[in-house]
Amino acid sequence: MTGRELAFQVLRRVEEGGAFASRALDAALAQAGALDPREAGLATELVYGTLRRALSLDAALARHASRPLAEVDPAARVALRLGAYQLLHLGTPPHAAVSEAVSLARSAEHGRAAGFVNAVLRALARDPRPAPAPALAEDPAGHVALAEALPRWLAEEWVAWLGPEEALLLARAMNQPAPLTLRAQDRAALATRLAAARLDVRPALHAPEGLVVTGASVSAVARAAAGAPFQVQDEAAQLVSLLAAGELRGRDARVLDACAAPGGKTFHLAELLGPGGEVVALEVHPRKAEELRKEAERRGLGGRVRVVCADASKPVPGLAAGSFDAVLVDAPCTGTGTLRRHPELKLRRAAGDPARMAGPQRALLAACAGYARAGAPVTYSVCALSRAEGPEIAAWAAGQGLRRAPPPPGFPSAVLDAAGDLLTLPHRHGCDGFYGVRFTAG
């Protein structure tokens, strides 16, 4: 199997089956077996590049298509985007990009669609120009949207929140690959092992347990670690745990993680606490709750992590009000801060989604705040970059009687915004986009 064929299969799963690109690609590479590393690299570039640039590719293709791309068969649409990405961004020779795309469309038993793919891509190859973007000064959101393949509604949101120049830098950063970031309790020991294996490793900029590895896979890191424990976790996610409970390091405290799966922050919180500490991890989905419990046991944290399958937005039997030393509500969200890792979200999120998510987010925060003892921190966070899911939730919570609280002592000020809230942006901080705000329970 070639890299193009594998990329075509993965992109079809994303387009037609709603799969996450990262999981579909990992599964396809594993199933392919002994694939030439160059072909695996090409497949990875084609999958992520095509998804990151899908909206601008569609705009370029639309100039040569006889009908809207939304009406085109999904397999043909994937083949068109793959061919266009190679023509416009990889410098692939036109005959190769076009013929490969046509062959892929034909392999999906769409012979008629193959002719359409051939005609559109040949026209694009003769005039390989992207659709022109308006000037930033004249139409800031339009420029950001078209220049960096961002949905218009999200470009408008970032321009209104951050300003045109900052929004453009953010959108541009979202089209770059995300680094491989690890968390380790003994960061120095793990870094020594990785360096001894000639891996390119450096400390994370802001998270004290974080390491950034360049040019290596997770499996290569695992081999080099030789049993030393670590977890793959973006630096921004690590900062959320520290914002929530950094002052409890080494203490036998109780922490509530209200939306726990897949468990990265749960395990980080458990590692922060003393040997007699406890993290109660709430997860509404039974399968995810069971996976979380098993992973806690595998990591040797079963004695510190108690998994409860329950809806955190409703009263949870057995959890008493005022019984926790810290509460974290890392709420479900639109995920727009993770577009580097999940570029398919550009195609799946809609303008009304942030406001739609804000209702459940408010419900979770309101329901969980009461579990914190008087004076204890209650932290709300999302991996989303929208005002409706971030600052507007904070303003609402303040109106409900929650008092804003400063971050724990020693928390890095470089990742705080003017209001003192956590706000990480990839072009500023090198990590995913997260928002977090800390309150004090009454």
Side-chain angles (χ1 to χ4, degrees):
M1 177 176 290
T2 68
R4 289 182 176 87
E5 291 169 340
L6 192 145
F8 182 63
Q9 289 184 4
V10 171
L11 288 170
R12 286 192 65 190
R13 291 172 193 160
V14 173
E15 181 78 8
E16 301 173 34
F20 282 104
S22 57
R23 296 176 187 173
L25 178 60
D26 288 347
L29 288 171
Q31 188 176 10
L35 189 66
D36 186 303
R38 291 171 296 182
E39 293 297 323
L42 176 61
T44 301
E45 171 64 30
L46 289 175
V47 168
Y48 280 102
T50 299
L51 288 171
R52 287 181 181 126
R53 295 290 177 180
L55 294 173
S56 59
L57 295 175
D58 288 356
L61 290 163
R63 297 168 57 227
H64 306 286
S66 58
R67 61 182 185 271
L69 290 184
E71 299 177 5
V72 174
D73 180 89
R77 187 163 56 245
V78 168
L80 282 167
R81 287 173 179 164
L82 268 173
Y85 181 70
Q86 293 173 81
L87 288 170
L88 299 179
H89 295 279
L90 296 187
T92 304
H95 70 276
V98 174
S99 64
E100 286 284 351
V102 171
S103 295
L104 292 171
R106 188 172 288 116
S107 72
E109 298 182 359
H110 293 285
R112 185 176 176 184
F116 178 76
V117 169
N118 181 61
V120 173
L121 288 179
R122 285 187 179 278
L124 180 63
R126 288 192 295 269
D127 183 17
R129 295 177 299 162
L136 183 65
E138 296 176 3
D139 181 3
H143 180 90
V144 172
L146 200 50
E148 298 301 331
L150 198 69
R152 171 81 191 209
W153 67 268
L154 188 53
E156 291 174 349
E157 170 64 16
W158 289 356
V159 167
W161 186 12
L162 304 170
E165 291 79 10
E166 188 94 6
L168 181 60
L169 291 173
L170 174 57
R172 187 173 295 155
M174 287 298 188
N175 284 325
Q176 301 303 313
L180 174 59
T181 308
L182 316 174
R183 189 193 75 249
Q185 279 187 284
D186 193 341
R187 178 171 77 171
L190 179 61
T192 298
R193 292 194 182 190
L194 299 187
R198 300 184 181 277
L199 298 188
D200 184 354
V201 59
R202 63 170 175 81
L205 293 175
H206 308 291
E209 289 99 359
L211 288 171
V212 179
V213 180
T214 303
S217 64
V218 175
S219 58
V221 168
R223 288 193 296 271
F230 70 89
Q231 181 158 21
V232 177
Q233 186 181 41
D234 186 78
E235 186 176 9
Q238 298 179 41
L239 291 170
V240 167
S241 301
L242 296 174
L243 181 68
E247 69 270 55
L248 300 179
R249 187 185 293 271
R251 291 175 52 186
D252 292 343
R254 294 186 81 222
V255 177
L256 177 66
D257 185 0
C259 307
K265 298 179 189 68
T266 298
F267 305 142
H268 191 190
L269 291 166
E271 292 167 0
L272 286 173
L273 299 179
E278 180 187 49
V279 178
V280 176
L282 302 184
E283 172 52 47
V284 68
H285 301 288
R287 179 183 59 79
K288 292 181 178 180
E290 180 60 17
E291 291 173 351
L292 181 60
R293 185 193 63 76
K294 290 180 179 178
E295 183 64 12
E297 292 286 348
R298 189 188 72 81
R299 291 180 175 275
L301 296 171
R304 296 191 199 180
V305 174
R306 178 160 66 94
V307 180
V308 177
C309 185
D311 184 349
S313 67
K314 301 175 182 178
V316 180
L319 295 190
S323 62
F324 287 89
D325 299 296
V327 171
L328 172 60
V329 179
D330 186 49
C333 64
T334 57
T336 49
T338 66
L339 295 180
R340 297 182 306 170
R341 303 179 191 279
H342 303 294
E344 64 274 10
L345 294 180
K346 291 184 179 184
L347 304 174
R348 293 180 182 170
R349 297 293 182 246
D353 287 346
R356 180 180 59 81
M357 296 297 297
Q361 289 162 351
R362 288 192 295 267
L364 283 165
L365 181 55
C368 294
Y371 292 120
R373 61 172 174 76
V378 176
T379 301
Y380 166 85
S381 66
V382 285
C383 59
L385 294 176
S386 72
R387 290 169 295 176
E389 298 174 272
E392 291 177 10
I393 295 286
W396 170 86
Q400 300 299 305
L402 288 176
R403 302 189 306 275
R404 280 179 178 267
F411 192 82
S413 60
V415 296
L416 301 176
D417 65 10
D421 300 336
L422 174 69
L423 180 62
T424 58
L425 303 170
H427 65 287
R428 287 191 201 169
H429 308 108
C431 51
D432 287 343
F434 267 75
Y435 174 85
V437 58
R438 187 166 135 127
F439 301 99
T440 299

